[in-house]
Amino acid sequence: MSTTSKLSLSRNKGNGVVARIIFLDLGAGRVLSANPDGSDLQTLVSEGRKLPDGLAVDVAAGHLYWTNMGNPKANDGTIFRSDLDGRNMTTIIAPGGTFTPKQLQIDKPNGKLYWCDREGMRVMRANLDGSDIETLVNTSQGDPRPGADPAKWCVGVAVDADAGKLYWSQKGGDNAGEGSILRANLDIPKGQTPSNRTDIELLYDKLPEPIDLDLDLETRLLYWTDRGDPPRGNTVNRAPLEAPRGGRPAPEIVFSNLMEGIGLALDPKHGRSDRCNYEPNTHLGDCE
C-alpha cells in the first residue's frame, strides 16, 4: 500500500519560530513529529488503518486536529483532537458526520474547523469541539454519496477569515486536466443553500490535479500542490488572491519535479514553503 504525508508547523508561542514539524503517515495510521531538520522523529499517535489525511495545529490551546478518511465507500470518516504530545485523544466528528474528510484548517478567532469531504462532495465546518456541523458547499449536483465523479471531489481548503472568504480545490480524475480551484464567502447567502449558492467564483480550471491549499495573507497569495503529471503537475504553485475581473494571471510554478505533491504548509515569517510528497511503495512521504 502506498503512503502519503500531510504536515503542519508547530511554532513557539513567544517568537513564532518553528519548533517542530508535525506530519501524518497514511499507510501506518500515525501522527509524527520531528525537528525542522528531520531529527528526533517521534510517533505521537498510532491508530492503525484509519487513513489520516488532514492536519492542523493550535499551539496556543495545545491541540492537534486531524482527519481520518476511513473507508472511501462508507460513511465512516472522522476527525480527532489530541494534546500536542498525542495524549488525551478524543473524537470530535464521529462516523456519519462526514464521509471522507481531507485537508483541515483552523479559524481560531471564530472557533471553527473547516475541511473538505471528498467522496461526500462537500466543504464543511464545525465548532472546535465538533459541535454544529455545517455543509457550506455541496458540489454533488444530486449525485448520491459516495460520489463517483472526481471532478466533484473537494480536497484542499483554505480560509481567509478577515476577508470572509473560503477557498477549495476539486481535483478531478488522475491527470485528467479537470481540476479546479474555487472561492466563496464563508457564509451561505441568505435564502440560498449549499447546492445552489450563487457566490461561488471559479479561480482556475483545467488544472492537472490540485490538492492542498494554503494562504499567505501578508502577500495576498494562494499556494497549492498539484500531484498531476509534468509539466504543470508534480508542482507547488501560487497565484494572487485578487485579480481584475477577466484578468487573472496564469499560476506561477514555485517548485517542480516533486514525486507527487500533496501536503503543504507555509512559514511566511521565514519565507518558506514546506511540502510533503506522495512516494509510492515507501513507508513515509518526503517532507521538505
Side-chain angles (χ1 to χ4, degrees):
M1 174 68 183
S2 300
T3 61
T4 185
S5 296
K6 298 293 181 76
L7 78 164
S8 190
L9 307 176
S10 176
R11 295 175 172 82
N12 289 332
K13 294 180 184 179
N15 57 20
V17 173
V18 175
R20 304 285 292 181
I21 295 176
I22 301 171
F23 57 103
L24 302 176
D25 176 4
L26 181 148
R30 299 187 296 170
V31 182
L32 300 148
S33 172
N35 289 326
D37 64 2
S39 63
D40 190 30
L41 179 66
Q42 299 177 17
T43 297
L44 303 180
V45 178
S46 183
E47 299 182 274
R49 298 285 301 135
K50 293 186 177 180
L51 302 182
D53 189 86
L55 177 66
V57 180
D58 183 351
V59 174
H63 287 148
L64 303 176
Y65 296 84
W66 67 96
T67 62
N68 283 329
M69 291 187 290
N71 180 350
K73 296 183 179 180
N75 190 16
D76 65 349
T78 52
I79 299 179
F80 283 82
R81 185 185 69 202
S82 76
D83 296 342
L84 293 179
D85 60 6
R87 298 179 182 178
N88 297 316
M89 187 173 73
T90 183
T91 304
I92 61 169
I93 304 293
T98 185
F99 213 100
T100 317
K102 298 289 286 180
Q103 191 180 11
L104 180 72
Q105 298 281 6
I106 298 175
D107 173 9
K108 186 63 180 295
N110 297 303
K112 294 289 185 179
L113 286 174
Y114 288 79
W115 70 93
C116 275
D117 183 356
R118 189 179 63 189
E119 274 81 1
M121 300 169 288
R122 297 175 288 190
V123 183
M124 306 183 73
R125 74 178 171 193
N127 294 330
L128 293 178
D129 63 1
S131 62
D132 193 20
I133 300 173
E134 300 175 81
T135 295
L136 300 177
V137 179
N138 181 348
T139 64
S140 69
Q141 298 177 324
D143 290 356
R145 299 184 180 95
D149 182 357
K152 298 177 181 179
W153 287 357
C154 303
V155 177
V157 66
V159 177
D160 182 355
D162 289 342
K165 294 294 183 181
L166 173 71
Y167 296 78
W168 71 96
S169 64
Q170 293 174 211
K171 84 176 198 72
D174 295 349
N175 304 308
E178 58 187 15
S180 57
I181 296 177
L182 305 100
R183 174 171 66 189
N185 295 322
L186 287 179
D187 296 315
I188 300 172
K190 188 175 181 179
Q192 299 181 19
T193 71
S195 300
N196 68 12
R197 59 187 298 174
T198 60
D199 61 333
I200 295 175
E201 179 184 0
L202 176 66
L203 301 184
Y204 291 101
D205 62 359
K206 299 179 181 178
L207 300 175
E209 202 178 342
I211 306 295
D212 279 1
L213 311 178
D214 207 353
L215 303 178
D216 183 345
L217 296 178
E218 292 294 324
T219 61
R220 306 299 298 167
L221 289 171
L222 166 68
Y223 287 75
W224 69 91
T225 53
D226 196 304
R227 64 177 287 182
D229 284 342
R232 295 178 64 197
N234 289 345
T235 55
V236 174
N237 305 264
R238 69 181 176 191
L241 295 180
E242 290 86 20
R245 184 175 296 273
R248 178 162 288 279
E252 175 189 359
I253 294 176
V254 182
F255 303 107
S256 57
N257 300 314
L258 302 179
M259 181 67 69
E260 288 187 27
I262 302 288
L264 177 69
L266 298 180
D267 181 10
K269 183 178 178 65
H270 300 96
R272 289 177 55 87
S273 170
D274 296 84
R275 63 274 185 198
C276 276
N277 293 332
Y278 170 99
E279 296 214 16
N281 304 316
T282 62
H283 187 52
L284 284 179
D286 170 36
C287 294
E288 300 183 51

